[in-house]
């Protein structure tokens, strides 16, 4: 537990030195939300699309940041060194999840706050919207850790994004209602986590309460745990 | 500190390490006596890093017996007792010197004031005073490598496994570091220090000469010169290799012996 916090503190410290990345993480989603609000001014599009952006961005950004950061740990030799210290693999993965969870919480407040400011209506609980956004970000982080074992270079790590994240976006029911999809794809969408994030956020915007979204939130938590376990299992203390 | 029954901090018997398609080390027997500064010397590519990685438990495909401080290499309990400095500086370039050191001190179980005290001591030991707040990414190569060394010191290990810690440093600094290594061994610690620079041999209590993954000599600096009659370690190393090649009749690569003779 304590070495988890030591690792989380170290990762946050590294982020603190990288102001530009933090600014991009906070402002890029606001820019997109702002563009949508402006483009569709006076229509209800933002009410439908806002929740999607709020759910998608944390997943997308944290996945990218985590896979690049852990790839850097591998290539710089710091991971090899960490593996000779008392730090356990689970503590390493959990440390990353905590650090990016903190970052994600700030991001969620900024993005959701901005979306509300430019006119997104949330009939349900704003706190639940924030919760889903944070869970999405932590999921992005653990998925990034799970996938980082596959990527050998930073370039490959970035290329994992279209492989892991974009299919979720395509099948999440944004481009086409899920019940109109080919059956196989509908099934696939039933398994992938972004579907649940987007659905619960849209439901919350329409006024759903805890009872209406707790199932979806449960699925997100399961995915976080599963990806975390894969991240731990694929982390190798001994390498070639 | 803890000595083992046979006084060896590291003991290898029939050690074999395969990397990719290559068998880098094939049947190595070796002892690193406790409480000494032991030099692991050999030309680039001779398997020094591979051997050190197996000792600290991060090398895959290791077979044979490898005992470190009385426990099998890579046992979880050893991670508090063994410190490892990788050949390329493995510290966070986006953190300051002191942030790096406090982090590695914390991983070794020191918190708060104790971690800061250990970091300050280590900064002084590697002569980086004045650079504490500097980001590691803006340090010179030699300075960076000293931060990497300091990150071992903050853990206060019994066995220090250092991969080419003095490469690229100026002579004064090199002398100071070797003095520090001997001070640490005076406290009962064991230091296993690799180098491809034969000049460093004279600074060690004991020498392990490695070539092509095999031990060419296990000796002391004085013995090495006496046995070979060579004026310095580099020429002594060449003499040993020539002897081995002619002695065993496998001297097919005498030509590479001189190029193997290190720089
Ligand atoms: N990941 C690897 N896969 C295959 N061979 C490797 C790998 N790393 C090192 N080697 C080979 O192992 C041998 C020993 O390398 P190394 O232990 O780094 O030597 P040294 O540290 O003495 O320079 C070299 O021939 C090198 O090419
Ligand atoms: Mg090496």
């Amino acid at each position: 537990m304590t070495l988890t916090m030591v690792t989380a503190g170290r990762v946050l410290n590294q982020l603190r030195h990288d102001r530009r990345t933090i600014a991009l993480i906070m402002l890029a989603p606001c820019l997109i939300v702002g563009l949508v609000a402006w483009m569709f001014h006076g229509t209800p599009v933002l009410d439908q699309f806002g929740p999607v952006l709020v759910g998608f961005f944390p997943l997308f950004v944290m996945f990218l940041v985590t896979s690049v950061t852990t790839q850097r740990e591998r290539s710089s030799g710091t991971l090899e060194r960490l593996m000779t210290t008392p730090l356990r693999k689970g503590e390493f993965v959990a440390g990353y999840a905590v650090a990016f969870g903190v970052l994600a919480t700030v991001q969620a407040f900024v993005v959701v706050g901005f979306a509300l400011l430019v006119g997104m209506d949330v009939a349900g609980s704003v706190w639940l919207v924030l919760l889903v956004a944070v869970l999405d970000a932590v999921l992005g982080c653990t998925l990034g850790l799970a996938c980082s074992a596959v990527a050998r270079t930073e370039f490959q790590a970035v290329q994992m994004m279209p492989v892991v994240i974009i299919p979720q976006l395509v099948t999440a029911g944004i481009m086409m209602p899920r019940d109109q999809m080919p059956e196989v794809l509908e099934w696939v969408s039933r398994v992938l986590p972004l579907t649940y994030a987007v659905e619960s956020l849209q439901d919350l915007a329409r006024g759903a309460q805890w009872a209406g979204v707790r199932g979806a939130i449960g699925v997100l938590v399961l995915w976080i745990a599963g990806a975390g376990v894969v991240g731990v299992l694929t982390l190798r203390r001994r390498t070639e | 500190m803890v000595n083992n029954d046979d006084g060896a901090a590291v003991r290898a018997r029939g050690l074999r390490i395969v990397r990719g398609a290559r068998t880098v080390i094939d049947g190595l027997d070796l002892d690193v006596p406790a409480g000494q500064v032991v030099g692991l010397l050999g030309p680039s590519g001779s398997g020094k890093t591979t051997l050190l990685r197996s000792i600290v438990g991060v090398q895959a495909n290791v077979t044979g017996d490898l005992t470190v401080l009385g426990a099998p290499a890579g046992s979880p309990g050893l991670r508090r007792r063994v410190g490892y400095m990788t050949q390329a500086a493995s510290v966070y370039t986006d953190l300051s010197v002191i942030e790096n050191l406090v982090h590695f001190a914390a991983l070794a179980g020191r918190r708060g004031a104790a971690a800061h005290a250990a970091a300050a001591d280590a900064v002084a030991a590697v002569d980086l005073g004045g650079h504490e707040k500097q980001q590691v990414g803006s340090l010179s190569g030699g300075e960076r490598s000293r931060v990497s060394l300091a990150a071992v010191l903050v853990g206060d290990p019994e066995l220090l496994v250092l991969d080419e810690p003095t490469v690229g440093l100026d002579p004064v600094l090199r002398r100071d570091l070797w003095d520090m290594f001997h001070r640490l061994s005076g406290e009962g610690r064991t230091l296993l220090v690799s180098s491809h620079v034969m000049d460093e041999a004279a600074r060690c209590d004991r020498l392990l000469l490695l070539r092509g993954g095999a031990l060419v000599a296990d000796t002391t600096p004085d013995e090495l010169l006496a046995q070979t009659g060579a004026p310095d370690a580099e020429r002594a190393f060449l003499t040993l290799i020539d002897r081995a090649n002619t002695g065993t009749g496998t001297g097919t690569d005498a030509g590479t012996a001189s190029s193997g003779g290190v720089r």
Side-chain angles (χ1 to χ4, degrees):
Chain A
M1 186 60 209
T2 44
L3 292 192
T4 299
M5 296 322 282
V6 168
T7 301
R10 185 262 299 170
V11 174
L12 284 173
N13 219 348
Q14 286 179 282
L15 285 168
R16 200 171 52 79
H17 282 287
D18 190 358
R19 300 259 162 80
R20 202 168 294 185
T21 293
I22 295 192
L24 284 169
I25 288 176
M26 301 301 160
L27 298 182
C30 293
L31 178 73
I32 307 293
V33 170
L35 276 175
V36 170
W38 188 19
M39 214 184 304
F40 298 98
H41 184 74
T43 73
V45 167
L46 185 65
D47 297 341
Q48 291 165 16
F49 216 61
V52 175
L53 293 175
V54 166
F56 175 66
F57 263 102
L59 181 77
F60 166 70
V61 171
M62 295 302 163
F63 179 84
L64 212 54
V65 175
T66 312
S67 24
V68 170
T69 319
T70 48
Q71 187 48 47
R72 207 172 285 168
E73 289 243 34
R74 275 176 216 278
S75 56
S76 70
T78 48
L79 185 62
E80 179 181 6
R81 175 174 229 147
L82 291 178
M83 291 294 116
T84 68
T85 72
L87 180 68
R88 284 196 293 256
K89 292 190 283 181
E91 292 171 327
F92 175 81
V93 168
Y96 262 89
V98 169
F100 286 112
V102 170
L103 187 65
T105 306
V106 180
Q107 188 198 38
F109 272 87
V110 171
V111 178
V112 173
F114 184 78
L116 293 174
L117 194 75
V118 296
M120 182 176 86
D121 286 323
V122 174
S125 159
V126 173
W127 293 106
L128 285 177
V129 171
L130 288 168
L131 175 68
V132 173
V134 170
L135 287 178
D136 243 4
V138 175
L139 175 65
C141 173
T142 49
L143 280 177
L145 286 161
C147 293
S148 75
V150 182
R152 289 283 158 84
T153 63
E154 235 171 88
F155 193 50
Q156 288 177 7
V158 174
Q159 296 303 319
M160 296 296 287
M161 201 275 298
V163 177
V164 177
I165 304 296
I166 301 296
Q168 297 197 49
L169 189 62
V170 172
T171 59
I174 305 159
M175 301 191 172
M176 179 191 280
R178 294 200 8 266
D179 49 18
Q180 292 173 22
M181 289 179 191
E183 199 172 338
V184 175
L185 285 186
E186 192 187 340
W187 257 100
V188 170
S189 77
R190 255 294 133 234
V191 176
L192 296 177
L194 188 62
T195 308
Y196 292 88
V198 165
E199 245 178 30
S200 60
L201 286 168
Q202 285 173 333
D203 289 348
L204 286 167
R206 284 194 290 263
Q209 299 301 313
W210 168 246
V213 293
R214 65 182 171 201
I217 287 178
V219 173
L220 285 179
V221 171
L222 278 180
W223 263 94
I224 291 172
V229 168
V230 172
V232 174
L233 291 179
T234 52
L235 197 59
R236 289 271 169 269
R237 211 173 269 281
R238 289 179 183 270
T239 51
E240 277 280 321
Chain B
M1 298 261 149
V2 188
N3 278 11
N4 301 296
D5 314 331
D6 58 356
V10 179
R11 192 185 139 91
R13 290 296 177 268
L15 186 70
R16 187 180 138 89
I17 305 175
V18 179
R19 297 190 85 164
R22 286 177 71 96
T23 303
V24 176
I25 290 176
D26 197 0
L28 181 72
D29 294 346
L30 151 151
D31 289 285
V32 175
Q36 298 193 12
V37 179
V38 179
L40 177 66
L41 277 82
S44 176
S46 58
K48 302 182 297 294
T49 298
T50 306
L51 178 60
L52 298 183
R53 275 169 46 85
S54 71
I55 291 171
V56 299
V58 295
Q59 177 64 51
N61 302 325
V62 180
T63 48
D65 280 349
L66 185 57
T67 309
V68 177
L69 301 173
S75 317
L78 288 176
R79 290 180 204 135
R80 289 190 183 288
R81 303 169 64 197
V82 178
Y84 175 45
M85 175 192 176
T86 52
Q87 183 167 354
S90 51
V91 279
Y92 297 99
T93 49
D94 46 1
L95 293 181
S96 72
V97 171
I98 209 79
E99 285 168 338
N100 266 289
L101 298 182
V102 168
H103 171 245
F104 285 107
L107 288 182
R110 299 169 156 207
R111 296 295 142 68
H116 280 92
D121 287 349
V123 165
V126 300
D127 196 26
L128 278 176
H131 293 285
E132 289 91 341
K133 298 240 164 77
Q134 199 173 337
Q135 258 186 265
V136 168
S138 66
L139 293 173
S140 75
E143 289 164 344
R144 225 181 267 199
S145 129
R146 280 182 281 153
V147 180
S148 195
L149 172 59
V152 173
L153 301 179
V154 292
D156 193 26
E158 289 165 51
L159 170 64
L160 291 85
V161 178
L162 311 176
D163 202 354
E164 311 228 7
T166 55
V167 166
L169 301 184
D170 79 72
V172 178
L173 207 55
R174 254 183 16 216
R175 182 199 59 200
D176 292 350
L177 287 184
W178 280 101
D179 287 347
M180 176 180 70
F181 296 162
H182 284 283
R183 221 166 40 242
L184 291 169
S185 79
E187 298 168 5
R189 295 172 219 278
T190 308
L191 289 93
L192 181 56
V193 183
S194 84
S195 178
H196 67 272
V197 183
M198 285 296 143
D199 300 348
E200 314 243 71
R203 311 249 191 211
C204 305
D205 296 325
R206 188 141 203 107
L207 293 176
L208 301 168
L209 299 189
L210 202 64
R211 181 164 182 274
L215 208 54
V216 178
D218 174 357
T219 182
T220 65
D222 291 344
E223 260 173 41
L224 177 69
L225 298 184
Q227 274 172 7
T228 55
D232 58 45
E234 175 147 351
R235 269 172 275 187
F237 186 73
L238 291 175
T239 308
L240 283 178
I241 286 167
D242 288 344
R243 270 188 206 166
N245 286 343
T246 51
T248 59
T250 58
T252 47
D253 57 350
T256 54
S258 49
S259 65
V262 277
R263 254 220 32 94

